[in-house]
Amino acid sequence: MFKSPIEWLKEMISELVKDFANMAFDWIGLFMLKPTDFSKYPFVNTAYDFVFSLASSLCIVFVAWSLLNVMLNHLAGVQSRSVAEVVTKTIFAFVLSAAAPWLLDNVLLKLNNAIVSYFLDKGLNTKALEKLVMFPGTTSLSIVLAVAVIVVLFTLLSLQYIQRLGEYIVLLVTSPIAAYSLITENFEIWSVWWREAISVIFSQAFQVALLWMIINMLTGTEKLSDYFMAIGLMVVLLKGPKYIRQFLYSSGAGKMAVGMAGGASKMAVYKYAAAKVTGR
């Protein structure tokens, strides 16, 4: 049977879309559509142990530098921190450096995974994604092209989740240095580290929730307007981590949330330390 150029073009694009979709959906299913679990990457522990040893050496430098500043300011008659404050921050930083991986895994990550599991239980999986590329014979070329754009965005999303894995590993490994920086006055990076940890971890919950909305919007529809709306939401979904960072760094509400989270992290550290001391 003779096919028109439009039908031939539609079939060719459909095959390309299916090939790219299979790759993108496999990656998304592997990295995004399941609760995050980093226990299967044991090499991270080796890197963390090395950085923890390095950070412990830096701690000595930070304490010596802080005490030297206190002494010089005292001799110069300049008001500054007390020795007691430096010692207190040193003890807190030491406990925090050891507890930071526990905070990431047992506090932030578990909360994120609870949100992700909620939407996964609503039917969000790779099979739901695969329905997007099952074109009936009546599907128009415009719909096929719109799905092609969405699949390209899905491919970018899958690459973004590989990047998220790397960002989390960097956060985990550098957590002791961020904790020990609390000892200093001018080189404190813990607040930045904490904001980045919230952004990287909870980007999955934000994106999974938005992806669930997109899939439900496209289920059973052949309206081009719905596909255009889905493309727009996919762009928002890809920019999700950036939006979270902007919220945490610039808005007053975000700073309040970070402050509350910081207070919660301190309480979690106290509980962690108490459990270690009592042997529970």
Short mmCIF file of all heavy atoms in Angstrom, two decimals, residues 64-124:
data_model
loop_
_atom_site.label_atom_id
_atom_site.label_comp_id
_atom_site.label_asym_id
_atom_site.label_seq_id
_atom_site.Cartn_x
_atom_site.Cartn_y
_atom_site.Cartn_z
N ALA A 64 43.15 26.28 66.09
CA ALA A 64 44.34 27.08 66.37
C ALA A 64 44.18 28.50 65.85
O ALA A 64 44.53 29.48 66.53
CB ALA A 64 45.57 26.41 65.76
N TRP A 65 43.64 28.62 64.64
CA TRP A 65 43.45 29.94 64.04
C TRP A 65 42.43 30.75 64.85
O TRP A 65 42.64 31.94 65.09
CB TRP A 65 42.98 29.78 62.60
CG TRP A 65 42.66 31.07 61.90
CD1 TRP A 65 41.43 31.61 61.66
CD2 TRP A 65 43.61 32.01 61.36
NE1 TRP A 65 41.53 32.81 61.01
CE2 TRP A 65 42.87 33.09 60.81
CE3 TRP A 65 45.00 32.04 61.28
CZ2 TRP A 65 43.47 34.18 60.18
CZ3 TRP A 65 45.61 33.13 60.66
CH2 TRP A 65 44.84 34.17 60.13
N SER A 66 41.35 30.11 65.27
CA SER A 66 40.32 30.81 66.04
C SER A 66 40.85 31.27 67.40
O SER A 66 40.60 32.40 67.83
CB SER A 66 39.10 29.91 66.22
OG SER A 66 38.52 29.57 64.97
N LEU A 67 41.60 30.38 68.06
CA LEU A 67 42.16 30.75 69.37
C LEU A 67 43.20 31.86 69.23
O LEU A 67 43.30 32.75 70.09
CB LEU A 67 42.79 29.52 70.03
CG LEU A 67 41.81 28.43 70.48
CD1 LEU A 67 42.56 27.24 71.04
CD2 LEU A 67 40.83 28.98 71.52
N LEU A 68 43.97 31.83 68.14
CA LEU A 68 44.96 32.88 67.90
C LEU A 68 44.26 34.23 67.69
O LEU A 68 44.70 35.26 68.22
CB LEU A 68 45.81 32.53 66.68
CG LEU A 68 46.89 33.56 66.27
CD1 LEU A 68 47.89 33.74 67.40
CD2 LEU A 68 47.58 33.13 64.98
N ASN A 69 43.16 34.22 66.95
CA ASN A 69 42.40 35.45 66.74
C ASN A 69 41.83 35.99 68.05
O ASN A 69 41.83 37.20 68.29
CB ASN A 69 41.26 35.21 65.74
CG ASN A 69 41.73 35.22 64.30
OD1 ASN A 69 42.76 35.81 63.99
ND2 ASN A 69 41.00 34.56 63.43
N VAL A 70 41.32 35.07 68.88
CA VAL A 70 40.79 35.48 70.18
C VAL A 70 41.88 36.14 71.02
O VAL A 70 41.68 37.20 71.64
CB VAL A 70 40.19 34.27 70.92
CG1 VAL A 70 39.85 34.65 72.37
CG2 VAL A 70 38.93 33.77 70.21
N MET A 71 43.07 35.54 71.05
CA MET A 71 44.18 36.07 71.83
C MET A 71 44.63 37.44 71.31
O MET A 71 44.83 38.38 72.08
CB MET A 71 45.36 35.09 71.80
CG MET A 71 46.55 35.53 72.65
SD MET A 71 47.93 34.37 72.52
CE MET A 71 48.40 34.61 70.78
N LEU A 72 44.77 37.56 69.97
CA LEU A 72 45.21 38.82 69.39
C LEU A 72 44.18 39.92 69.61
O LEU A 72 44.54 41.08 69.92
CB LEU A 72 45.48 38.64 67.89
CG LEU A 72 46.68 37.76 67.52
CD1 LEU A 72 46.78 37.60 66.00
CD2 LEU A 72 47.97 38.35 68.07
N ASN A 73 42.90 39.59 69.47
CA ASN A 73 41.86 40.58 69.70
C ASN A 73 41.82 41.01 71.17
O ASN A 73 41.58 42.18 71.48
CB ASN A 73 40.49 40.02 69.30
CG ASN A 73 40.33 39.90 67.80
OD1 ASN A 73 40.95 40.65 67.04
ND2 ASN A 73 39.52 38.96 67.35
N HIS A 74 42.07 40.05 72.07
CA HIS A 74 42.11 40.38 73.49
C HIS A 74 43.27 41.33 73.80
O HIS A 74 43.12 42.30 74.55
CB HIS A 74 42.23 39.10 74.32
CG HIS A 74 42.31 39.34 75.80
ND1 HIS A 74 41.22 39.75 76.55
CD2 HIS A 74 43.36 39.27 76.67
CE1 HIS A 74 41.58 39.90 77.80
NE2 HIS A 74 42.88 39.61 77.91
N LEU A 75 44.44 41.05 73.22
CA LEU A 75 45.60 41.92 73.44
C LEU A 75 45.38 43.31 72.86
O LEU A 75 45.87 44.31 73.40
CB LEU A 75 46.85 41.28 72.82
CG LEU A 75 47.36 40.00 73.50
CD1 LEU A 75 48.51 39.41 72.71
CD2 LEU A 75 47.77 40.29 74.94
N ALA A 76 44.64 43.36 71.76
CA ALA A 76 44.38 44.65 71.11
C ALA A 76 43.19 45.37 71.71
O ALA A 76 42.87 46.49 71.30
CB ALA A 76 44.16 44.45 69.61
N GLY A 77 42.49 44.73 72.64
CA GLY A 77 41.33 45.35 73.26
C GLY A 77 40.11 45.35 72.38
O GLY A 77 39.20 46.17 72.57
N VAL A 78 40.08 44.46 71.41
CA VAL A 78 38.94 44.37 70.48
C VAL A 78 38.00 43.27 70.96
O VAL A 78 38.44 42.17 71.31
CB VAL A 78 39.43 44.06 69.05
CG1 VAL A 78 38.23 43.92 68.10
CG2 VAL A 78 40.38 45.14 68.56
N GLN A 79 36.70 43.58 70.97
CA GLN A 79 35.71 42.60 71.41
C GLN A 79 35.61 41.46 70.40
O GLN A 79 35.51 41.70 69.19
CB GLN A 79 34.35 43.26 71.59
CG GLN A 79 33.29 42.32 72.18
CD GLN A 79 31.97 43.04 72.42
OE1 GLN A 79 31.83 44.22 72.09
NE2 GLN A 79 31.02 42.33 73.00
N SER A 80 35.65 40.25 70.85
CA SER A 80 35.58 39.09 69.96
C SER A 80 34.99 37.91 70.70
O SER A 80 34.54 38.04 71.85
CB SER A 80 36.98 38.74 69.43
OG SER A 80 37.82 38.31 70.49
N ARG A 81 35.04 36.78 70.07
CA ARG A 81 34.52 35.57 70.70
C ARG A 81 35.39 35.17 71.89
O ARG A 81 36.57 35.51 71.95
CB ARG A 81 34.50 34.42 69.69
CG ARG A 81 33.58 34.64 68.52
CD ARG A 81 33.48 33.38 67.66
NE ARG A 81 34.78 33.00 67.12
CZ ARG A 81 35.03 31.83 66.50
NH1 ARG A 81 34.06 30.95 66.38
NH2 ARG A 81 36.22 31.56 66.02
N SER A 82 34.80 34.40 72.78
CA SER A 82 35.54 33.90 73.93
C SER A 82 36.12 32.53 73.62
O SER A 82 35.71 31.86 72.65
CB SER A 82 34.63 33.82 75.15
OG SER A 82 33.60 32.86 74.93
N VAL A 83 37.06 32.11 74.44
CA VAL A 83 37.64 30.78 74.29
C VAL A 83 36.56 29.71 74.49
O VAL A 83 36.53 28.69 73.79
CB VAL A 83 38.80 30.58 75.29
CG1 VAL A 83 39.31 29.14 75.24
CG2 VAL A 83 39.93 31.56 75.01
N ALA A 84 35.66 29.96 75.44
CA ALA A 84 34.58 29.00 75.70
C ALA A 84 33.70 28.80 74.46
O ALA A 84 33.26 27.68 74.17
CB ALA A 84 33.73 29.48 76.88
N GLU A 85 33.44 29.89 73.74
CA GLU A 85 32.63 29.79 72.52
C GLU A 85 33.33 28.96 71.47
O GLU A 85 32.71 28.14 70.79
CB GLU A 85 32.32 31.19 71.97
CG GLU A 85 31.45 31.16 70.72
CD GLU A 85 31.17 32.55 70.16
OE1 GLU A 85 31.50 33.54 70.85
OE2 GLU A 85 30.64 32.63 69.04
N VAL A 86 34.63 29.17 71.30
CA VAL A 86 35.40 28.40 70.33
C VAL A 86 35.38 26.92 70.68
O VAL A 86 35.18 26.06 69.82
CB VAL A 86 36.85 28.92 70.23
CG1 VAL A 86 37.69 28.01 69.32
CG2 VAL A 86 36.88 30.35 69.72
N VAL A 87 35.58 26.62 71.97
CA VAL A 87 35.59 25.22 72.41
C VAL A 87 34.22 24.59 72.20
O VAL A 87 34.10 23.44 71.75
CB VAL A 87 36.01 25.13 73.88
CG1 VAL A 87 35.84 23.70 74.40
CG2 VAL A 87 37.45 25.58 74.05
N THR A 88 33.16 25.33 72.53
CA THR A 88 31.79 24.81 72.37
C THR A 88 31.49 24.51 70.91
O THR A 88 30.93 23.46 70.57
CB THR A 88 30.77 25.81 72.92
OG1 THR A 88 31.03 26.06 74.30
CG2 THR A 88 29.35 25.28 72.76
N LYS A 89 31.87 25.44 70.03
CA LYS A 89 31.63 25.23 68.60
C LYS A 89 32.46 24.07 68.07
O LYS A 89 32.03 23.35 67.16
CB LYS A 89 31.95 26.51 67.82
CG LYS A 89 30.85 27.55 67.89
CD LYS A 89 31.02 28.59 66.82
CE LYS A 89 29.81 29.51 66.75
NZ LYS A 89 29.91 30.49 65.64
N THR A 90 33.65 23.89 68.63
CA THR A 90 34.50 22.78 68.19
C THR A 90 33.85 21.45 68.52
O THR A 90 33.81 20.52 67.70
CB THR A 90 35.89 22.87 68.86
OG1 THR A 90 36.51 24.11 68.50
CG2 THR A 90 36.78 21.71 68.41
N ILE A 91 33.32 21.34 69.74
CA ILE A 91 32.65 20.10 70.16
C ILE A 91 31.42 19.84 69.28
O ILE A 91 31.19 18.72 68.80
CB ILE A 91 32.26 20.17 71.65
CG1 ILE A 91 33.52 20.26 72.52
CG2 ILE A 91 31.42 18.96 72.04
CD1 ILE A 91 33.22 20.52 73.99
N PHE A 92 30.63 20.90 69.07
CA PHE A 92 29.43 20.75 68.25
C PHE A 92 29.79 20.36 66.81
O PHE A 92 29.15 19.49 66.20
CB PHE A 92 28.64 22.05 68.26
CG PHE A 92 27.41 22.01 67.39
CD1 PHE A 92 26.32 21.23 67.73
CD2 PHE A 92 27.35 22.74 66.21
CE1 PHE A 92 25.19 21.18 66.93
CE2 PHE A 92 26.24 22.69 65.41
CZ PHE A 92 25.16 21.91 65.77
N ALA A 93 30.83 21.00 66.26
CA ALA A 93 31.26 20.69 64.89
C ALA A 93 31.74 19.26 64.77
O ALA A 93 31.48 18.58 63.76
CB ALA A 93 32.37 21.66 64.46
N PHE A 94 32.43 18.76 65.81
CA PHE A 94 32.91 17.37 65.79
C PHE A 94 31.73 16.40 65.74
O PHE A 94 31.72 15.45 64.95
CB PHE A 94 33.78 17.11 67.01
CG PHE A 94 34.27 15.69 67.10
CD1 PHE A 94 35.32 15.26 66.31
CD2 PHE A 94 33.65 14.78 67.95
CE1 PHE A 94 35.77 13.94 66.37
CE2 PHE A 94 34.09 13.46 68.02
CZ PHE A 94 35.15 13.05 67.23
N VAL A 95 30.75 16.62 66.60
CA VAL A 95 29.57 15.75 66.61
C VAL A 95 28.81 15.85 65.30
O VAL A 95 28.37 14.85 64.72
CB VAL A 95 28.65 16.10 67.80
CG1 VAL A 95 27.38 15.26 67.75
CG2 VAL A 95 29.38 15.89 69.12
N LEU A 96 28.67 17.07 64.78
CA LEU A 96 27.94 17.30 63.54
C LEU A 96 28.64 16.65 62.36
O LEU A 96 27.98 16.11 61.46
CB LEU A 96 27.79 18.80 63.30
CG LEU A 96 26.77 19.22 62.22
CD1 LEU A 96 25.38 18.73 62.59
CD2 LEU A 96 26.77 20.73 62.06
N SER A 97 29.97 16.68 62.34
CA SER A 97 30.70 16.06 61.23
C SER A 97 30.46 14.55 61.18
O SER A 97 30.38 13.96 60.10
CB SER A 97 32.20 16.34 61.37
OG SER A 97 32.73 15.68 62.51
N ALA A 98 30.33 13.94 62.36
CA ALA A 98 30.06 12.50 62.40
C ALA A 98 28.60 12.20 62.12
O ALA A 98 28.26 11.13 61.59
CB ALA A 98 30.45 11.94 63.77
N ALA A 99 27.71 13.13 62.46
CA ALA A 99 26.27 12.88 62.32
C ALA A 99 25.71 13.31 60.97
O ALA A 99 24.58 12.93 60.63
CB ALA A 99 25.51 13.63 63.43
N ALA A 100 26.47 14.08 60.18
CA ALA A 100 25.95 14.61 58.92
C ALA A 100 25.45 13.51 57.98
O ALA A 100 24.36 13.64 57.39
CB ALA A 100 27.00 15.48 58.23
N PRO A 101 26.20 12.40 57.78
CA PRO A 101 25.67 11.33 56.92
C PRO A 101 24.37 10.76 57.46
O PRO A 101 23.46 10.42 56.69
CB PRO A 101 26.79 10.28 56.94
CG PRO A 101 28.02 11.04 57.27
CD PRO A 101 27.57 12.12 58.22
N TRP A 102 24.26 10.65 58.77
CA TRP A 102 23.02 10.17 59.39
C TRP A 102 21.88 11.15 59.15
O TRP A 102 20.74 10.75 58.89
CB TRP A 102 23.26 9.98 60.88
CG TRP A 102 22.06 9.51 61.64
CD1 TRP A 102 21.59 8.24 61.75
CD2 TRP A 102 21.16 10.33 62.40
NE1 TRP A 102 20.46 8.22 62.54
CE2 TRP A 102 20.17 9.49 62.95
CE3 TRP A 102 21.10 11.69 62.67
CZ2 TRP A 102 19.13 9.97 63.75
CZ3 TRP A 102 20.07 12.17 63.47
CH2 TRP A 102 19.10 11.31 63.99
N LEU A 103 22.16 12.45 59.21
CA LEU A 103 21.15 13.46 58.93
C LEU A 103 20.63 13.35 57.51
O LEU A 103 19.43 13.41 57.25
CB LEU A 103 21.73 14.86 59.16
CG LEU A 103 21.86 15.36 60.60
CD1 LEU A 103 22.63 16.67 60.62
CD2 LEU A 103 20.50 15.53 61.23
N LEU A 104 21.57 13.17 56.57
CA LEU A 104 21.18 13.06 55.17
C LEU A 104 20.33 11.81 54.93
O LEU A 104 19.29 11.87 54.26
CB LEU A 104 22.42 13.01 54.28
CG LEU A 104 23.23 14.30 54.13
CD1 LEU A 104 24.45 14.06 53.24
CD2 LEU A 104 22.39 15.42 53.55
N ASP A 105 20.78 10.68 55.49
CA ASP A 105 20.15 9.40 55.17
C ASP A 105 18.89 9.14 55.97
O ASP A 105 17.91 8.60 55.46
CB ASP A 105 21.16 8.28 55.41
CG ASP A 105 20.64 6.94 54.90
OD1 ASP A 105 20.27 6.87 53.72
OD2 ASP A 105 20.59 5.98 55.68
N ASN A 106 18.87 9.52 57.25
CA ASN A 106 17.76 9.16 58.13
C ASN A 106 16.76 10.28 58.38
O ASN A 106 15.70 10.02 58.97
CB ASN A 106 18.31 8.68 59.48
CG ASN A 106 18.98 7.33 59.38
OD1 ASN A 106 18.34 6.29 59.36
ND2 ASN A 106 20.31 7.35 59.29
N VAL A 107 17.08 11.49 57.97
CA VAL A 107 16.15 12.59 58.17
C VAL A 107 15.66 13.12 56.81
O VAL A 107 14.50 12.95 56.43
CB VAL A 107 16.78 13.73 59.00
CG1 VAL A 107 15.79 14.88 59.18
CG2 VAL A 107 17.23 13.21 60.36
N LEU A 108 16.56 13.74 56.07
CA LEU A 108 16.17 14.37 54.80
C LEU A 108 15.76 13.33 53.77
O LEU A 108 14.70 13.45 53.13
CB LEU A 108 17.32 15.21 54.25
CG LEU A 108 17.79 16.38 55.11
CD1 LEU A 108 18.89 17.16 54.40
CD2 LEU A 108 16.64 17.31 55.46
N LEU A 109 16.59 12.29 53.59
CA LEU A 109 16.31 11.31 52.55
C LEU A 109 15.05 10.51 52.84
O LEU A 109 14.28 10.19 51.92
CB LEU A 109 17.51 10.38 52.39
CG LEU A 109 17.70 9.75 51.01
CD1 LEU A 109 17.78 10.81 49.92
CD2 LEU A 109 18.96 8.90 50.98
N LYS A 110 14.81 10.18 54.10
CA LYS A 110 13.60 9.41 54.44
C LYS A 110 12.34 10.24 54.21
O LYS A 110 11.31 9.70 53.76
CB LYS A 110 13.67 8.95 55.89
CG LYS A 110 14.55 7.72 56.09
CD LYS A 110 14.38 7.11 57.47
CE LYS A 110 15.17 5.82 57.59
NZ LYS A 110 15.03 5.20 58.93
N LEU A 111 12.40 11.53 54.52
CA LEU A 111 11.24 12.39 54.25
C LEU A 111 10.99 12.51 52.76
O LEU A 111 9.84 12.43 52.30
CB LEU A 111 11.48 13.77 54.87
CG LEU A 111 10.37 14.80 54.67
CD1 LEU A 111 9.04 14.29 55.21
CD2 LEU A 111 10.74 16.14 55.34
N ASN A 112 12.06 12.69 51.98
CA ASN A 112 11.93 12.75 50.53
C ASN A 112 11.35 11.44 50.00
O ASN A 112 10.42 11.44 49.17
CB ASN A 112 13.30 13.01 49.90
CG ASN A 112 13.30 12.83 48.39
OD1 ASN A 112 12.87 13.68 47.64
ND2 ASN A 112 13.78 11.68 47.93
N ASN A 113 11.86 10.31 50.47
CA ASN A 113 11.40 9.02 49.98
C ASN A 113 9.95 8.75 50.33
O ASN A 113 9.24 8.07 49.59
CB ASN A 113 12.29 7.90 50.54
CG ASN A 113 13.67 7.89 49.90
OD1 ASN A 113 13.91 8.55 48.90
ND2 ASN A 113 14.59 7.15 50.50
N ALA A 114 9.50 9.27 51.47
CA ALA A 114 8.09 9.10 51.85
C ALA A 114 7.18 9.83 50.84
O ALA A 114 6.13 9.30 50.45
CB ALA A 114 7.86 9.65 53.26
N ILE A 115 7.59 11.03 50.42
CA ILE A 115 6.81 11.78 49.44
C ILE A 115 6.83 11.06 48.09
O ILE A 115 5.80 10.92 47.41
CB ILE A 115 7.35 13.21 49.30
CG1 ILE A 115 7.25 13.95 50.64
CG2 ILE A 115 6.60 13.98 48.22
CD1 ILE A 115 7.92 15.30 50.65
N VAL A 116 8.01 10.60 47.69
CA VAL A 116 8.14 9.89 46.41
C VAL A 116 7.29 8.62 46.42
O VAL A 116 6.58 8.34 45.44
CB VAL A 116 9.62 9.55 46.15
CG1 VAL A 116 9.75 8.60 44.95
CG2 VAL A 116 10.42 10.82 45.90
N SER A 117 7.34 7.86 47.50
CA SER A 117 6.57 6.61 47.58
C SER A 117 5.07 6.87 47.47
O SER A 117 4.33 6.05 46.91
CB SER A 117 6.87 5.89 48.90
OG SER A 117 8.23 5.50 48.96
N TYR A 118 4.62 8.01 48.00
CA TYR A 118 3.20 8.35 47.92
C TYR A 118 2.74 8.43 46.47
O TYR A 118 1.69 7.88 46.10
CB TYR A 118 2.95 9.68 48.64
CG TYR A 118 1.53 10.21 48.47
CD1 TYR A 118 0.49 9.73 49.25
CD2 TYR A 118 1.25 11.18 47.51
CE1 TYR A 118 -0.80 10.20 49.08
CE2 TYR A 118 -0.04 11.66 47.34
CZ TYR A 118 -1.06 11.17 48.13
OH TYR A 118 -2.35 11.63 47.95
N PHE A 119 3.53 9.11 45.62
CA PHE A 119 3.13 9.27 44.22
C PHE A 119 3.39 7.99 43.42
O PHE A 119 2.65 7.70 42.48
CB PHE A 119 3.87 10.45 43.59
CG PHE A 119 3.37 11.78 44.08
CD1 PHE A 119 4.06 12.49 45.05
CD2 PHE A 119 2.20 12.32 43.57
CE1 PHE A 119 3.60 13.71 45.50
CE2 PHE A 119 1.72 13.54 44.03
CZ PHE A 119 2.41 14.24 44.99
N LEU A 120 4.40 7.21 43.80
CA LEU A 120 4.63 5.94 43.13
C LEU A 120 3.46 5.00 43.40
O LEU A 120 3.05 4.23 42.52
CB LEU A 120 5.93 5.31 43.61
CG LEU A 120 7.23 6.06 43.27
CD1 LEU A 120 8.44 5.28 43.77
CD2 LEU A 120 7.34 6.32 41.77
N ASP A 121 2.91 5.06 44.60
CA ASP A 121 1.75 4.23 44.94
C ASP A 121 0.50 4.65 44.17
O ASP A 121 -0.46 3.87 44.09
CB ASP A 121 1.47 4.29 46.44
CG ASP A 121 2.56 3.61 47.26
OD1 ASP A 121 3.31 2.80 46.69
OD2 ASP A 121 2.67 3.91 48.48
N LYS A 122 0.51 5.85 43.64
CA LYS A 122 -0.62 6.34 42.83
C LYS A 122 -0.55 5.85 41.38
O LYS A 122 -1.38 6.23 40.55
CB LYS A 122 -0.66 7.87 42.86
CG LYS A 122 -0.95 8.48 44.22
CD LYS A 122 -2.36 8.21 44.67
CE LYS A 122 -2.67 8.90 45.99
NZ LYS A 122 -4.06 8.65 46.43
N GLY A 123 0.46 5.03 41.08
CA GLY A 123 0.55 4.46 39.73
C GLY A 123 1.60 5.08 38.84
O GLY A 123 1.63 4.80 37.63
N LEU A 124 2.49 5.89 39.40
CA LEU A 124 3.55 6.49 38.59
C LEU A 124 4.69 5.48 38.44
O LEU A 124 5.37 5.14 39.41
CB LEU A 124 4.06 7.76 39.27
CG LEU A 124 5.17 8.52 38.52
CD1 LEU A 124 4.73 8.92 37.13
CD2 LEU A 124 5.62 9.73 39.32
#
